[in-house]
Amino acid sequence: MNIFVFPAGMPEALDFAVAARLEGHRIVGGSSLYHDPASAEYDRWIRLPLLGHEDFDRKFMHCIREESISRVCVSHHVAWTRIKELLARHEPGVAVVNPSPSALMRARHGLARRQTGRLGAGLEIPAPDGNDALSRLELLSLVTHAQRIFGHSDDQKIAALATVAARLPKGDIVEIGSKAGRSAFVLGWLARRYDIGTLLCIDPWSRDAASRQVESSAIVRQHAGDNDYDLIFECYISNMLAYLYGTVNYIRKTSDEAVSIYRADRCIETVELGRVEYTGRIACLHVDGNHDYEYARRDIRQWSEWLLPGGWLIVDDYHWAFGDGPQRAADEWLSEHERQCDCAFVVGGALFVRKRVEQAHEVNR
Ligand SMILES: C[S@@+](CC[C@H](N)C(=O)[O-])C[C@H]1O[C@@H](n2cnc3c(N)ncnc32)[C@H](O)[C@@H]1O
């Protein structure tokens, strides 16, 4: 199918074009700019006069017929209304494939409002004085920006992380398995909001490490093997630069290899994210790396050694459609450490556990 995209340099237009190309369509792009860098993204490029110019309608319709266009995508709200009318009048068989951009923006925001409105109630855990819950707009902002980042944490888990963050002691936030940075963004944003500490992300971002997860189903292993980890790493860096510069850094190694680095260094310096200081005590540990039982077990055991009293351990995919490694590892740890924990629940498939703040008379038991 031949699809015409106009104005083809807008981010929404380019998003549409990459998806349409994946579906095998021929994409003709057009805009009124003399030089539009987006032209290289299209199979053919057509310059049209400005929308208000007397020649616009004629040249637009000429392009539709010459290029045998059967669908049009229009990402600019004013151009959308005008082109809809033009096509209805002259070529009713050619459809505009996207809804009105203004209506879509309103509908998406309405959806985000309704979705976040359904979140948040139900976790009744006392918070220290002064650590108020996120406002409705803060939660909406956190959830909508998180969901723009490629990743696996759902809205329920994000809301639970927000509840837990208001109750954290001061210390490091450590995440094992960050991928493109969705949960890292949430943790880092909350760490700033509640002044908890800095975020350390540990992930090898490598196919070799991903291929060591062998207990999950074949389809999961296939996906892990197909990923381009350098590209995912670049997405992660770009997301951290956009939102969290100065309060986040990473170790691009497996969690086993990162243990000795975290033990030895209070400061991590990288080319992309600069220098970030850590305390060596963990307020929140998010385990979401290799999901095989042995790896999850080691991650929980090795890293929870640094967990502060009042700190939270979060094991992602405790309920998981593709395996039970995280659950077996977490249950085993919980049964051994039951007396040191005072709160546990599962939300969004993740297990949340709080390490008890020891009372003075319990310390020497
Ligand atoms: C499920 S994804 C993480 C999703 C992420 N937390 C999010 O919110 O989107 C798992 C990540 O663990 C990483 N990983 C695999 N083996 C690892 C290991 N041994 N140590 C640390 N990370 C590992 C993978 O590279 C992958 O990025």
Side-chain angles (χ1 to χ4, degrees), residues 151-153 176-179 182-183 202-204 254-255 288-290:
H152 302 284
S153 296
I176 297 172
S178 295
K179 212 167 197 174
R182 180 184 289 178
S183 50
I202 295 154
D203 195 312
T254 66
S255 47
D288 194 13
N290 186 319

Side-chain angles (χ1 to χ4, degrees), residues 186-252:
V186 173
L187 291 168
W189 189 96
L190 290 166
R192 280 186 172 182
R193 165 67 170 80
Y194 290 108
D195 192 21
I196 300 160
T198 47
L199 168 65
L200 178 62
C201 297
I202 295 154
D203 195 312
W205 288 285
S206 89
R207 185 168 292 151
D208 178 44
S211 69
R212 283 179 226 147
Q213 183 175 296
V214 295
E215 286 168 16
S216 43
S217 59
I219 190 165
V220 174
R221 296 204 305 276
Q222 169 81 38
H223 268 281
D226 287 348
N227 278 333
D228 176 342
Y229 286 91
D230 285 337
L231 183 140
I232 293 174
F233 175 66
E234 206 169 286
C235 290
Y236 163 82
I237 293 294
S238 142
N239 290 322
M240 297 303 104
L241 284 173
Y243 293 110
L244 299 175
Y245 186 81
T247 56
V248 61
N249 225 323
Y250 69 89
I251 300 175
R252 192 174 182 175

Side-chain angles (χ1 to χ4, degrees), residues 10 75 100 169 252 289 326 328:
M10 289 180 70
S75 297
S100 148
R252 192 174 182 175
R328 282 162 58 214

Side-chain angles (χ1 to χ4, degrees), residues 94-107:
V94 177
V96 176
V97 287
N98 59 313
S100 148
S102 315
L104 182 62
M105 187 274 283
R106 287 194 298 274

Side-chain angles (χ1 to χ4, degrees), residues 138-175:
E138 282 178 311
L139 186 60
L140 186 143
S141 162
L142 179 64
V143 168
T144 45
H145 283 265
Q147 300 307 10
R148 284 178 197 163
I149 297 174
F150 181 75
H152 302 284
S153 296
D154 67 18
D155 294 356
Q156 281 75 18
K157 181 176 161 193
I158 294 171
L161 287 170
T163 305
V164 159
R167 289 139 179 91
L168 286 176
K170 291 200 188 307
D172 304 337
I173 317 283
V174 173
E175 172 167 88

